[in-house]
Amino acid sequence: FDLRDLKPTMPITRELVLGEELGKGGFGRVFKAKHIYMGKWYAAKLFDKTSTAQEIINEYEALKDLNHNNIVKFVYNGLSDQGLFFTLMELLDGENLSNYTNTKSDLRLPIDEIYKMAIQLLDALVYMQDKGIFHRDIKPNNIVWDKRQRYVLIDFNISTALEDDTA
């Protein structure tokens, strides 16, 4: 099964049905996904076939216990009926900051919003660093302005967790 064959309304498990596509990148595609038994929407990131189960498990294990308002919440990992690995995350309601950094766009963030964003993201990064986790891909595409209230880090594909060498 090819990642490009995924379409809205397609079930990926007995309980998850795809909604609209939210984005795509080098590792896969992200869709809204409805958990039909809970009636709740999530973001489902489906990985291409080149991603190994261990890479996806490592990412999830490093991030599942993070609990910070400015870091996307991870729910669980799974294997779709199509044989693709996926990660289920909280669904954010907003746009990524690339809309505000595109030189062809008239959108600009006011200085007080830039200050607020910097405080929130630096707080999230310090929180992660204190837990030995480093994002390693901070860029406008990986920051969502959720409900125009909070700035949230997303896309942790190349994040790393420091090994504990003290044991």
Side-chain angles (χ1 to χ4, degrees), residues 82-100:
Q82 296 81 8
L84 300 170
F85 292 107
F86 69 89
T87 297
L88 204 65
M89 300 165 279
E90 80 175 296
L91 179 63
L92 301 172
D93 181 13
E95 54 200 357
N96 71 49
L97 291 190
S98 67
N99 295 334
Y100 295 91

Side-chain angles (χ1 to χ4, degrees), residues 122-139:
L122 288 172
D123 190 56
L125 291 169
V126 167
Y127 171 84
M128 289 173 59
Q129 182 176 334
D130 287 347
K131 296 198 173 284
I133 298 170
F134 299 88
H135 189 287
R136 294 184 7 170
D137 196 22
I138 303 298
K139 61 185 179 185

Side-chain angles (χ1 to χ4, degrees), residues 3 15 28 33 54 74 78 83 95 106 146 157:
L3 196 59
E15 64 274 346
Q54 197 56 54
F74 287 79
E95 54 200 357
D106 290 334
D146 186 41
N157 278 340

